[in-house]
């Protein structure tokens, strides 16, 4: 051994920064290449539609990053994405796939609205806010918990059950909006608007609701939960190999249940923030697509809390950029999904060394 | 027409697009790959068939285009999952968004343009059978084709070598390799075929059923198809039954409304999903055990825990 | 070996820390960026003149695509008229703007680009429109179709044509042409315009054919071809032989009718080309003149206190209804056409209205007394279906 180490010049004798660069360079190159490829393909599509891609990108950049209103919009849109992405990350730690963010957000929003409708204006706003938070967290947790129970009791895979629950949640939302909670018998289906006092306050000087602060705090909290608590450790053991975990005495059932419920709680909270900070009433399009985009953001971030912040920022920025795409370049706003998807494909497929099939 | 015949006929018609997609997803999942992007394949299939139908005036050429479009999207999914090791769920959803964006971008100019679609053609003799006639034999040609697709898919999957290879890729992939076949190749073939069928399903929606194109018109049918395959325990004939069941649930609402009944539409809309959950729960661990082994691994091998 | 592994671990750890550091830096940067922008952004100066005065840009937001052969296409064509009439004014359009908070964002972006007049053209855009109007007192935001129930702010208003008047006339055509006495109506939501449309259609049909009934099916969507098809099929199977609709995209229902050999009353656009045999007539938008008048008033600084600074409705009685009758199809007899022309004239008089009392609801209760004529505002507040209409309104 000594002979070998004597001959080799150990990396640590060479300067940490140099080593870091050598290791990081191919990663950076891959990422830049992947994203560059995505932009290139998107540019070609724009050109097919008769739009100048350079102009389009320049306009998008200008509209998105030089207007303070747009930047604030990014943070507003980012908040539910962060929380819903965390809702995917926590169960992932336990080896579970939670595709149900969409439905959990909806149920959270429904719960918050329900709390408002039942408790009414009589309460002090602070109490009402607390009630809404509690309701949304509990309902979101239960909605996800249902999937956990089905898995534990009947072996129903949670990816499928949470997906199905998304559709059921949507129907619950529509039912409530169209019937019992409908504000007026005629007109567009929607619930009563939230009283001003109960709307989420904004961060001083901006139009961004305080949900963003909550989101950041929870990112830290989840990071701590996953990496520094006993529960987090046990969950990751169970997620790595459930059988071995069971044999070593861990209560896998409890871990599965709690992981999914925490995920559901986080997504439910996202729904509450969306309701009381952005939408103020339930409409048929409430929380539309947020759950799925957050799922993808979580993947982009490789299920880690801090990168989730970045990934959510990127997706929120893309979404705001999409609005500009339409206004400035006449391209339908939904086409931003193409760019989003291309970036994801590039990352999913081309930024990690080849692996065997899952 | 009586309410029942009305509803069932509409159910078969509305469920056909779901059935095509379900058949496709069955093939894909039998090989061990789940494709949440089936909805996307249906979307591009719907637009592809519609656009080509408008341009060429031939609905059948449109169907070919739709199948090709759906297949291409699925091929991308197959590539990402099989060759690049991407997560099946993430890849599927990503491609769904790609499809949403692409069809928005390129479909806008086709909204409102009339297409020569598939017209109803009553099968001689058979369509006169009471009750069954109006339900099964007073439909469009693409729907009649689906009647043959079901046994065809069943036959290929269970009675041919190709089907055996596909199923083995999903059950015992190492066994395939031992015999000198490429698991990757056969999976990719299965997933792509799945996408082609989903594309045909989308084509039915836009050129035979609704005769229109609109953004996001598939409206969740692709997801229903994915759930349906599991509900049907990966069997083509059960997929057929399930698709018609779902189609019927969708058709029930308007049929009741037109007769003056006040129905809770959303309860009805939720029935297929609740039903699927119930069936999955009741079948319980048996379903999981009868799923293709590789698929089981996909479901159990969650994302990397850091 | 162990030393290498340990070292690799340390590198990985430091990479993790670096990632955190990078992220922290990014986050800080973002905060600073925001702070900087707020500090240097020039707030919109309160202009001296009236809201929207002298604006050099006008914006239109639409809920759907501009070529939907229906509602949004009509809006777009109206915006094209503005482009022609006002060559020095920049006309901005945004399609597929959902009826929620996103609409406000889009309008804000238009304002940033200099628009001081915005048309929010879908019924569900009202909330966003009012929010934007409140935040920008110097910008006029007018909304198409809804009604402002509280005080109308100085810089906003709603406008619409009385769509139900041509629908009454179309109902006459339908009632006269139907052989089964069953008419079908596919609609999205029971908003006041839709209810008025359905009621007027039925009343028009009844005026020439007392046995005619209108069966209604709701799709709960402004455009979902799958649901539209299901709705059309369910009506056709009930022996309905005239179909009409209140949807944003109209092709599916019309084609379903044509294929089944039923007749069609169109909506939003003249779709006679896709229904050559069954087309009767339809109600079609012509927004040009109304949009032009609004733009003129705003540019001249005369918006505040004008008729548009209110819930403006125009119909046959008061002016040029932006909703006109489409050309007739082959099945409409000369006799029917004459009746329709006479009815249109009658509607323009003080005594004419689709809802001249007595009007009974589905339960037989009298809603409009004998001889009474409801005002445009009262029609807007209708929350019941008239007798002869089959289908229930949400409870």
């Amino acid at each position: 051994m000594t002979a070998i180490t004597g001959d080799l010049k150990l990396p640590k004798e060479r300067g940490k920064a140099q080593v870091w660069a050598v290791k990081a360079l191919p990663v950076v190159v891959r990422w830049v290449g992947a994203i560059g490829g995505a932009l290139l393909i998107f540019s070609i599509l724009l050109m097919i539609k008769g739009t100048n891609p350079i102009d389009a990108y320049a306009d998008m950049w200008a509209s998105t990053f030089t207007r303070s209103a747009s930047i604030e919009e990014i943070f507003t849109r980012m908040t539910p994405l962060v929380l819903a992405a965390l809702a995917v990350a926590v169960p992932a730690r336990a080896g579970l796939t939670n595709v149900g963010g969409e439905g959990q957000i909806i149920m959270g929003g429904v719960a918050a609205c329900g709390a408002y409708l039942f408790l009414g204006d009589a309460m002090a706003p602070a109490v009402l806010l607390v009630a809404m938070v509690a309701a949304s967290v509990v309902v979101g947790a239960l909605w996800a918990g249902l999937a956990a129970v089905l898995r534990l009791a009947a072996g129903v895979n949670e990816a499928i059950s949470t997906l199905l629950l998304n559709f059921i949640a949507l129907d619950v939302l529509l039912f409530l909006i169209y019937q019992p909670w409908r504000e007026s018998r005629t007109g567009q289906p929607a619930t009563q608007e939230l009283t001003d006092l109960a709307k989420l306050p904004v961060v001083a000087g901006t139009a961004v609701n305080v949900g963003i602060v909550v989101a950041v705090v929870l990112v830290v909290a989840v990071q701590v939960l996953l990496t520094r608590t006993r529960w987090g450790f046990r969950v990751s053991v169970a997620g790595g190999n459930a059988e071995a975990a069971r044999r070593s005495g861990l209560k896998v059932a409890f871990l599965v249940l709690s992981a999914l419920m925490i995920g559901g709680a986080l997504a439910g909270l996202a729904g509450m923030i969306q309701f009381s900070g952005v939408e103020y009433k339930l409409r048929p399009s409430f929380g539309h697509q947020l759950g799925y985009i957050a799922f993808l953001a979580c993947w982009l971030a490789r299920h880690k809390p801090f990168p989730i912040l970045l990934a959510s920022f990127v997706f929120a920025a893309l979404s705001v950029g999409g609005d500009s795409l339409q206004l400035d370049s006449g391209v339908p706003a939904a086409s931003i999904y193409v760019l989003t998807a291309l970036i994801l494909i590039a990352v999913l497929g081309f930024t990690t060394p080849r692996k065997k099939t899952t | 027409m009586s309410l029942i015949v009305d509803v069932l006929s509409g159910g078969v018609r509305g469920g056909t697009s779901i059935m095509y997609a379900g058949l496709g997803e069955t093939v894909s999942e039998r090989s061990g790959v789940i494709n949440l992007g089936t909805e996307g394949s249906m979307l591009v299939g719907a637009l592809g068939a519609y656009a080509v139908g408008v341009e060429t005036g031939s609905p059948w050429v449109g169907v070919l285009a739709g199948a090709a479009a759906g297949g291409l999207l699925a091929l991308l999914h197959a590539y990402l999952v099989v060759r690049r090791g991407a997560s099946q769920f993430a890849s599927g959803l990503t491609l769904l968004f790609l499809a949403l964006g692409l069809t928005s971008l390129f479909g806008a100019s086709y909204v409102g343009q009339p297409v020569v679609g598939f017209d109803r053609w009553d099968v001689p003799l058979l369509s006169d059978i009471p009750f069954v006639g109006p339900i099964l034999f007073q439909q469009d040609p693409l729907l009649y084709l689906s009647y043959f697709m079901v046994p065809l898919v069943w036959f290929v999957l269970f009675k041919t070598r190709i089907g055996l290879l596909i199923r083995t890729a999903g059950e015992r992939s190492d066994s395939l390799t031992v015999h000198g076949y490429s698991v990757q190749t056969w999976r990719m073939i299965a997933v792509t075929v799945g996408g082609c069928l989903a594309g045909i399903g989308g084509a039915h929606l836009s050129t035979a059923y609704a005769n229109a194109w609109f953004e996001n018109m598939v409206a969740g049918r692709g997801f229903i198809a994915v759930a349906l395959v599991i509900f049907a325990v990966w069997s083509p004939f059960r997929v057929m039954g399930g698709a018609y069941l779902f189609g019927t649930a969708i058709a029930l609402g308007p049929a009741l409304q037109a007769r003056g009944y006040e129905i809770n539409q959303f309860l009805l809309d939720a029935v297929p999903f609740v039903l699927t959950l119930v069936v999955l729960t009741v079948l319980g661990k048996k379903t999981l055990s009868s799923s293709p082994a590789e698929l089981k691994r996909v479901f159990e091998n969650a994302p990397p825990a850091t | 070996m162990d030393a290498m592994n340990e070292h690799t671990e340390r590198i990985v750890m430091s990479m993790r820390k670096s990632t955190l550091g990078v992220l922290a830096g990014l986050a800080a940067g973002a905060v600073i960026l925001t702070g900087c922008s707020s500090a240097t952004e020039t707030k919109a100066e309160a202009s001296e003149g009236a809201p929207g005065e002298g604006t050099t840009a006008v914006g239109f937001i639409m809920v759907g695509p501009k070529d939907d052969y229906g509602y949004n296409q009509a809006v777009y064509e109206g915006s094209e008229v503005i482009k022609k009439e006002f060559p020095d004014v920049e006309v901005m359009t945004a399609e597929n703007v959902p009826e929620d908070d996103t609409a406000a964002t889009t309008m804000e972006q238009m304002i940033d680009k200099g628009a001081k007049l915005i048309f929010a053209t879908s019924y569900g855009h009202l909330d966003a429109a009012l929010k934007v109007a409140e935040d920008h007192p110097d910008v006029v935001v007018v909304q198409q179709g809804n009604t402002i129930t509280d005080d109308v702010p100085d810089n906003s208003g709603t406008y619409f044509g009385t769509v139900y008047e041509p629908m009454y006339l179309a109902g006459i055509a339908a009632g006269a042409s139907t052989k089964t006495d069953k008419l079908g109506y596919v609609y999205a939501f029971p908003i006041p315009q839709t209810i008025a449309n359905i009621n007027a259609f039925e009343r028009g049909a009844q005026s020439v054919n007392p046995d005619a009934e209108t069966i209604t099916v709701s799709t709960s969507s402004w455009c979902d071809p799958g649901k539209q098809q299901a709705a059309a099929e369910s009506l056709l199977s009930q022996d309905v032989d005239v179909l009409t609709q209140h949807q944003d995209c109209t092709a599916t229902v019309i084609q379903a009718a044509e294929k089944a050999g039923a007749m069609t009353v169109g909506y939003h656009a003249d779709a006679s080309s896709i229904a050559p045999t069954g087309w009767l007539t339809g109600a079609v938008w012509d927004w040009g003149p109304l949009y032009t008048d609004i733009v003129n008033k705003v540019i001249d600084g005369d918006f505040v206190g004008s008729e548009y600074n209110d819930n403006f409705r125009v119909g046959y009685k008061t002016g040029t209804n932006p909703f006109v009758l489409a050309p007739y199809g082959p099945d409409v007899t000369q006799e029917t056409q004459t009746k329709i022309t006479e009815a249109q004239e009658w509607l323009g008089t003080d005594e004419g209205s689709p809802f001249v009392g007595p009007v009974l609801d589905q339960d037989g209760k009298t809603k409009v007394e004998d001889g009474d004529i409801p005002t445009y505002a009262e029609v807007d507040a209708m929350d019941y279906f008239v007798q002869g209409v089959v289908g229930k309104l949400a409870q």
Side-chain angles (χ1 to χ4, degrees), chain B residues 43 46-47 50 103 107 110-112 206 212-218, chain C residues 63-65 67-68 72 96 221-225 228 248-249 252:
Chain B
L43 260 174
L47 178 61
Y50 198 83
T103 53
Y110 287 102
V111 176
S206 66
W213 158 259
F214 199 73
E215 243 189 13
N216 211 0
M217 68 180 287
V218 174
Chain C
V63 73
D67 23 37
D68 65 358
N72 297 292
N96 296 312
S221 163
W222 286 113
C223 181
D224 180 333
Q228 288 175 336
D248 274 357
C249 58
T252 302

Side-chain angles (χ1 to χ4, degrees), chain B residues 83-100:
Chain B
R83 281 249 135 79
R84 311 296 314 193
S87 145
Q88 299 190 9
F89 298 116
S91 170
L93 281 178
T94 302
L95 290 175
L96 167 60
F97 278 100
L98 183 65
L100 276 171

Side-chain angles (χ1 to χ4, degrees), chain A residues 1 5 8 10-13 16 19-20 23-24 27 59 63-73 75-77 178-180 182 185-189 193 205-206 223 278-281 283-286 304 306-310 313 320 323-328 330-333, chain C residues 1-4 6-8 10-11 14-16 18-20 23 26-27 30-31 33-34 37-38 41 66 92-102 105-106 108-110 112-113 122-124 127-128 131 188-192 195 220-222 380-384 393-395:
Chain A
M1 266 306 181
T5 50
L8 280 172
L10 274 181
K12 74 171 145 206
E13 288 173 25
K16 236 176 172 183
V19 172
W20 196 94
K23 281 205 183 268
V27 176
D59 284 333
S63 278
T64 311
F65 291 113
T66 60
R67 293 177 64 232
S68 70
S70 291
I71 296 185
E72 290 176 9
E73 186 66 23
F75 285 109
T76 306
R77 290 192 191 176
Y178 276 86
Q179 286 170 4
R182 191 175 191 145
R185 233 180 121 219
T186 62
Q188 211 78 341
E193 177 154 337
T206 70
Q223 172 75 1
V278 180
E279 294 281 342
Y280 307 133
K281 41 167 97 164
R283 290 187 189 81
S285 61
F286 185 80
K304 296 183 225 165
F306 282 107
I308 280 178
L309 270 176
L310 184 60
F313 182 84
V320 173
D323 291 343
S324 132
L325 202 62
Q326 176 170 231
L327 217 51
D328 298 323
V331 175
Chain C
M1 285 303 181
D2 292 325
M4 292 285 266
E6 189 204 302
H7 190 81
T8 316
R10 284 214 215 115
I11 290 176
S14 61
M15 272 180 78
R16 278 207 193 128
S18 319
T19 317
L20 272 177
L23 281 170
L26 268 168
V31 170
L33 213 76
T34 321
S37 303
S38 304
E41 182 204 28
K66 68 178 188 298
M92 298 180 251
T93 55
E95 311 166 65
N96 296 312
V97 178
E99 291 170 327
D100 58 28
D101 202 57
T102 324
T105 325
T106 310
E108 295 276 349
Q109 290 190 336
M110 285 178 163
D112 266 4
K113 292 184 193 303
S122 182
Y123 186 85
D127 284 347
K131 176 160 162 244
F189 306 108
I191 60 176
I195 296 178
S220 305
S221 163
W222 286 113
D380 236 17
M382 263 184 175
D383 62 352
Y384 58 90
L393 276 178
Q395 288 312 310

Side-chain angles (χ1 to χ4, degrees), chain A residues 104-129:
Chain A
Q104 290 145 22
I105 288 178
I106 289 178
M107 293 310 283
V110 162
C113 183
Y116 168 61
L117 291 175
F118 282 113
L119 299 174
D121 303 343
M123 298 192 118
V127 178
L128 185 55
L129 273 174

Side-chain angles (χ1 to χ4, degrees), chain B residues 68 74 86 92-93 121 140 150 177 190 202 207 216 232 240:
Chain B
L93 281 178
W121 182 76
D140 62 84
V150 178
T177 332
T207 61
N216 211 0
M240 184 181 193

